[in-house]
Amino acid sequence: MEKYRTIAKNGEAEIVIKKSRFIASIARVESETEAQTFLEETRQKFAKATHHCFAYQLGFNNEIQRMSDDGEPSGTAGAPILDVLEKQQLNNLICVVTRYFGGIKLGAGGLIRAYSHATSNVIQITGLVAGIQQQRYRLTIDYHQLPILTNYLTQQAIVVAATEYTEQVQIAIWLNDDQVDDTQVQITNLLAGQVSFVKESAGFNEVPIQNTEDLD
């Protein structure tokens, strides 16, 4: 089963170290073209900055990796950014750390810590999700059955993808392949057979990751 881990949303965060501003901009991307476009947009947004260092990873297994120190001493910017992305096991994203030099040199060690910290900080702010390949099913029920079904789905920690209220209630849920049969039987029995259970399409259900321990 394919799965991925990435940020919950695009974002930006700033830290200041010895008068230098480090602005980390992070975004989900699916191709090198998208990554380069985001990089260029960031450069234009912070056009007067001293450096725009970056790293990105693409693919379920991060088959493509790129990084740049953009004028900082070799190994002090791009590599630390990429290292954070790798340690967090993230896929399909780019992080650009823009630096406005504050006049005080940080040294190699200081730069490595600064770029690592800036990257970790923006990831913490944006949050993480795990994309799990599952099957989506649509359930159609009568209104009076809704509290019963809702309680069951909550107890079983089944994710509701969408709910539509028309003449009846339609609820889309995500299920793993190995839980489909049992879930269908349980719901059918629970609602005395008064439920339509229709398979829609496979896709990725994104589940929030509460902390980095969940990444192991």
Side-chain angles (χ1 to χ4, degrees), residues 151-164:
N151 183 59
Y152 169 81
L153 296 176
T154 300
Q155 289 181 344
Q156 300 299 316
I158 294 174
V159 175
V160 175
T163 304
E164 295 181 16

Side-chain angles (χ1 to χ4, degrees), residues 194-209:
Q194 302 302 305
V195 56
S196 169
F197 204 97
V198 178
K199 183 178 181 179
E200 292 192 324
S201 59
F204 285 94
N205 172 29
E206 293 192 348
V207 180
I209 297 172

